[in-house]
Amino acid sequence: MEGVSGPSSQSSFDKSRVLDVKPLRTLVPVFPNPPQAPPFVCSSPFGPFPSGFTPFYPFSMAGNQTEDGQQGGDFGTPAAAVPLRSYGTPQMRGGAHVSGASNGDTWSSMDGSADVNVRDGATGSKKRTARQAKASQKKARKGAAPSGEIRVPDLKNIVSLPQAQREDGNRELVNFIMIQFDAVRRRLSQLEDSNEASTGLIKRADLKAGKTLMTVGFRTNSRKRLGAVPGVEIGDIFYFRMEMCVTGLHAQSMGGIDYMIVKSESDEEPLAVSIVSSGGYDDNADDQDVLIYTGQGGGNYSGKGKQTGEASDQKLERGNLALERSARRQNHIRVIRGIRDLVNPSIKIYVYDGLYSIQDSWIDKAKSGVSTFKYKLIRLPGQPSAYAIWQSVLKWKEGLSSRPGLILPDLTSGAENLPVSLVNDLDDEKGPSYFTYLRAVKYTKSHNLGESSYGCSCNSACAAGDLNCSCIRKNGGDFPYTSNGVLVSRKPLLHECGPSCPCFANCKNKVSQSGLKVRLEVFKTRGRGWGLRSWDPIRSGTFICEYAGEVIDKETYDRDESENAYIFDTCRACDKSFKWNCNPPLVGDTAVGDLNEDYDIPFPLIINAKDSGNVSRFMNHSCSPNVFWQPVVYDHNGESYIHIAFYAIRHIPPMTELTFDYGISQSENRRKRCFCGSPNCKGYFG
């Protein structure tokens, strides 16, 4: 330009060389010639990593623990492995921050959308809306981080699992890991619901829980393997993909194909160990024994197989190459199917359907015209049913087929909001002895707790974090349930809003009073009389039912020496080693009150359900139960009464018998022989 002095005006050169600049995305990468090129490496974010390969941040964090490698070399595995998206950035000074749309209680897929399945580990861009940070709470609960402060887990005193248990698990260890994961996730969800503290950029409690457990070494089956995973049973269900990661079922937190590098005499090759089919690609997954699986890559797809990104042919690399090699080797592959929740269709559940092998593979043309790989997997015979059970239940619900052995479609005669079927597909017995159906416990005389209570003063619905609510204050300042009604922690005595509270009838602090949440079935068991199970999957912490019956005093019970199998007695000794709550340091809590899981019931509570009761009277005992009881108190006309509510200890698949620990009576005459069949069976109960 004229009148401008400087280096550009004083030297002559061809300006077209400067202006002819191509966008970076049009440049072609240059790779070394094949003889000098290093071998292609595609490892899971959780490792293991081949010798000489250094993972990038954040997977190369300091302080990572080293574990023995998988077959094919001595690899190292970082202890804290999480998706990059789970790393938050500090809030801007203006108070604005970017927030995810979910706290992990709505969508279970890793990218926050149940309609996108990224099999190659890459995710499409998502729009995030900036929200103004809410003002700090005027009053912070004792032992909690101030409002808006990012909580930092205090892990210095947490002892990780031994190396051997991190590499190879068992059933007890897998259950422990699952309980630990969900305890942390529930507590983080509770904090996010109450806006008590900011725990990062994206509100995904499942990702944060997975990161925490990986960091402290609370994981198992980290050593990759072909075939079954120790401790994970066919039919097990998972509400979050991180649950599959920490238990070793499927190490890819986002990818649909997981594989390992196996050394042969002359070469190394990838072999598929597990796949997830959840509707993100155009799979044919209707058959319970055959799965037509689509390879990875070629653009992003919606849950209906609709291509949403730029179309391109799939390439025979990474997971696709591993499946092709597995087809040749005929090794067994773990198959996990993603299924819409039968109760809440907005939630996707992952079901471990067992071992499959690839029978055939071919290249197919998608609707967009691109080439995709197809793999036909056949389920190995002789395995327990898993996906087939879900299909059967769906047909029963839709009326497409009748329930075999059905005696009564609803034994409650409409007393419950959901029907409870009575089924016997074993013998000719037509049902249990007659009883009067009650929805709730019946007090024949006053058992008031001794202090008058007229409930809260909330005019609409009680809100998490509102310390003006007297019911929340009675629970130590915490709302006892997450936003979708899942119990957060066991308490000495849980306080719910009662009929005298002016809050709405659908207040989220009235979970145990709103009736059944799942479709239950009373069925004839083998050798233990009648039992109780659910057609629907039950999430950990979900309310199942109340123990209904007539409350009797201890003197009356002691005088009655007749055999009664329908007695609930709070004085019985239960397993004190059972722990379900979150360990406070794992979420940055400084208070230790949440560690107390011992019940505080002011008087012996004995409920007799022999002549009158509800479905809970059919729940059998087990020394390794999947259900626990929790005392719940709420007021009736100014007087408070205790109720016994049952919640799921862990995720329970459909058609799994529901059991709880009856405890052991101090009187040996009342004890009965136990037939629960658990490895931890005490031999007697009651």
Side-chain angles (χ1 to χ4, degrees):
M1 296 177 63
E2 294 183 7
V4 178
S5 62
S8 60
S9 63
Q10 295 175 0
S11 57
S12 62
F13 57 93
D14 186 2
K15 295 183 179 180
S16 64
R17 296 179 59 189
V18 178
L19 299 177
D20 187 17
V21 178
K22 297 180 180 298
L24 286 176
R25 63 182 180 182
T26 65
L27 301 180
V28 179
V30 179
F31 298 100
N33 293 328
Q36 291 80 30
F40 176 75
V41 175
C42 180
S43 299
S44 162
F46 306 106
F49 300 100
S51 177
F53 176 76
T54 303
F56 57 88
Y57 180 84
F59 305 117
S60 57
M61 296 173 61
N64 288 341
Q65 300 175 2
T66 303
E67 300 177 2
D68 292 341
Q70 63 187 21
Q71 183 179 356
D74 185 16
F75 305 158
T77 303
V82 293
L84 288 173
R85 299 180 58 215
S86 66
Y87 280 80
T89 55
Q91 284 188 343
M92 294 179 287
R93 291 187 178 183
H97 69 283
V98 180
S99 172
S102 168
N103 67 358
D105 271 335
T106 302
W107 299 105
S108 59
S109 58
M110 290 300 299
D111 56 3
S113 170
D115 290 332
V116 178
N117 178 22
V118 188
R119 291 192 175 162
D120 54 5
T123 180
S125 61
K126 293 186 63 180
K127 295 181 180 180
R128 297 187 181 97
T129 58
R131 299 176 181 175
Q132 292 295 326
K134 293 185 176 180
S136 299
Q137 294 181 11
K138 297 179 180 179
K139 202 172 182 182
R141 183 172 51 87
K142 183 179 179 181
S147 177
E149 179 179 324
I150 295 180
R151 288 173 173 256
V152 178
D154 183 11
L155 309 179
K156 59 180 180 295
N157 294 322
I158 302 296
V159 179
S160 64
L161 294 176
Q163 178 85 8
Q165 292 185 353
R166 293 202 305 271
E167 291 183 353
D168 300 291
N170 54 54
R171 187 60 178 173
E172 186 174 357
L173 192 57
V174 167
N175 285 337
F176 169 77
I177 296 295
M178 290 286 287
I179 290 176
Q180 290 292 317
F181 173 89
D182 205 60
V184 174
R185 186 202 62 79
R186 292 192 310 270
R187 176 57 177 154
L188 290 173
S189 296
Q190 183 185 51
L191 295 174
E192 291 170 353
D193 290 342
S194 65
N195 294 317
E196 180 181 298
S198 172
T199 52
L201 176 66
I202 301 176
K203 291 189 175 182
R204 290 295 304 275
D206 55 319
L207 299 184
K208 299 163 192 170
K211 171 187 174 182
T212 299
L213 262 65
M214 291 286 186
T215 301
V216 300
F218 282 179
R219 60 179 301 189
T220 189
N221 294 315
S222 62
R223 181 173 60 87
K224 283 193 178 182
R225 71 200 73 215
L226 299 171
V229 173
V232 180
E233 296 181 353
I234 296 174
D236 281 351
I237 60 176
F238 306 86
Y239 281 79
F240 301 93
R241 293 189 61 153
M242 284 302 295
E243 292 176 318
M244 295 188 285
C245 293
V246 296
T247 56
L249 180 64
H250 186 81
Q252 293 287 342
S253 60
M254 296 173 67
I257 306 173
D258 190 18
Y259 59 92
M260 61 186 292
I261 305 298
V262 178
K263 271 188 176 180
S264 62
E265 295 181 358
S266 58
D267 199 3
E268 294 181 346
E269 62 178 355
L271 292 179
V273 296
S274 61
I275 60 174
V276 176
S277 175
S278 58
Y281 282 67
D282 190 18
D283 297 339
N284 186 347
D286 294 334
D287 194 300
Q288 63 188 33
D289 294 316
V290 179
L291 172 64
I292 307 300
Y293 189 77
T294 305
Q296 66 183 22
N300 293 326
Y301 290 79
S302 71
K304 298 180 180 179
K306 182 179 179 181
Q307 203 263 341
T308 58
E310 184 178 353
S312 61
D313 292 340
Q314 292 184 348
K315 298 179 180 180
L316 192 61
E317 60 184 14
R318 295 179 289 182
N320 296 336
L321 180 60
L323 287 173
E324 190 273 336
R325 294 291 189 266
S326 291
R328 294 185 183 182
R329 286 251 192 148
Q330 283 295 293
N331 65 276
H332 298 164
I333 300 172
R334 300 186 294 272
V335 170
I336 301 102
R337 296 181 184 250
I339 305 174
R340 294 288 180 183
D341 188 358
L342 301 176
V343 178
N344 187 351
S346 65
I347 294 178
K348 183 177 292 183
I349 303 174
Y350 299 94
V351 183
Y352 174 42
D353 198 34
L355 299 178
Y356 285 64
S357 63
I358 299 177
Q359 185 185 74
D360 194 10
S361 63
W362 63 93
I363 297 178
D364 196 10
K365 285 289 184 181
K367 294 180 181 179
S368 60
V370 300
S371 297
T372 60
F373 294 104
K374 295 286 187 177
Y375 304 90
K376 182 179 181 181
L377 292 97
I378 306 296
R379 194 170 191 262
L380 301 185
Q383 300 182 94
S385 298
Y387 179 58
I389 294 178
W390 290 70
Q391 288 184 314
S392 297
V393 171
L394 186 60
K395 291 179 181 178
W396 301 339
K397 284 191 167 187
E398 295 178 348
L400 301 179
S401 65
S402 60
R403 174 75 173 95
L406 181 67
I407 300 175
L408 286 175
D410 184 14
L411 64 80
T412 75
S413 300
E416 297 285 2
N417 55 329
L418 292 175
V420 178
S421 55
L422 178 64
V423 173
N424 183 1
D425 53 8
L426 290 180
D427 52 39
D428 297 330
E429 188 175 356
K430 296 304 180 182
S433 57
Y434 176 81
F435 70 99
T436 301
Y437 199 92
L438 297 177
R439 287 195 59 186
V441 66
K442 179 181 179 181
Y443 282 86
T444 56
K445 63 179 182 179
S446 178
H447 283 77
N448 187 27
L449 298 183
E451 55 182 25
S452 299
S453 174
Y454 292 94
C456 65
S457 57
C458 303
N459 294 321
S460 55
C462 300
D466 182 9
L467 294 181
N468 292 321
C469 175
S470 60
C471 294
I472 292 180
R473 291 199 303 270
K474 292 175 183 177
N475 287 307
D478 286 325
F479 203 86
Y481 300 98
T482 62
S483 59
N484 62 346
V486 171
L487 182 68
V488 176
S489 60
R490 298 169 72 204
K491 290 182 174 295
L493 199 59
L494 191 152
H495 293 265
E496 283 191 349
C497 296
S500 299
C501 294
C503 55
F504 291 164
N506 61 350
C507 173
K508 292 181 179 179
N509 195 28
K510 297 180 179 179
V511 169
S512 71
Q513 306 164 57
S514 56
L516 302 180
K517 304 295 188 296
V518 292
R519 179 74 182 271
L520 298 174
E521 171 184 285
V522 175
F523 73 106
K524 185 66 180 297
T525 69
R526 295 185 182 273
R528 296 201 299 160
W530 297 91
L532 186 67
R533 60 189 175 193
S534 170
W535 287 14
D536 300 314
I538 303 178
R539 188 173 181 169
S540 174
T542 297
F543 168 74
I544 298 173
C545 62
E546 174 183 345
Y547 197 94
E550 182 180 344
V551 175
I552 59 176
D553 54 50
K554 192 174 186 306
E555 291 75 14
T556 301
Y557 177 57
D558 290 339
R559 287 196 304 266
D560 185 6
E561 297 181 356
S562 62
E563 184 176 349
N564 188 350
Y566 301 100
I567 287 290
F568 182 93
D569 185 1
T570 60
C571 296
R572 292 174 180 171
C574 294
D575 184 8
K576 295 292 185 180
S577 64
F578 169 59
K579 299 297 179 184
W580 194 71
N581 293 357
C582 175
N583 193 358
L586 294 178
V587 294
D589 275 340
T590 57
V592 296
D594 289 339
L595 287 176
N596 183 18
E597 300 187 34
D598 295 333
Y599 298 140
D600 183 17
I601 302 177
F603 55 84
L605 181 61
I606 302 173
I607 305 175
N608 182 7
K610 183 177 181 179
D611 298 322
S612 57
N614 65 350
V615 293
S616 63
R617 70 195 295 274
F618 298 107
M619 204 181 309
N620 283 316
H621 163 83
S622 176
C623 297
S624 297
N626 51 21
V627 173
F628 69 87
W629 61 273
Q630 165 71 52
V632 177
V633 61
Y634 50 88
D635 66 280
H636 300 266
N637 298 321
E639 294 186 346
S640 297
Y641 294 93
I642 295 176
H643 300 253
I644 301 300
F646 290 103
Y647 299 86
I649 292 177
R650 52 184 177 270
H651 306 328
I652 305 175
M655 305 305 288
T656 301
E657 184 177 3
L658 306 177
T659 58
F660 74 99
D661 185 0
Y662 283 15
I664 299 176
S665 175
Q666 297 178 356
S667 173
E668 295 185 1
N669 296 331
R670 295 191 180 275
R671 297 178 184 177
K672 302 176 181 64
R673 186 178 176 185
C674 182
F675 297 96
C676 70
S678 165
N680 301 320
C681 183
K682 304 178 183 67
Y684 53 88
F685 68 92

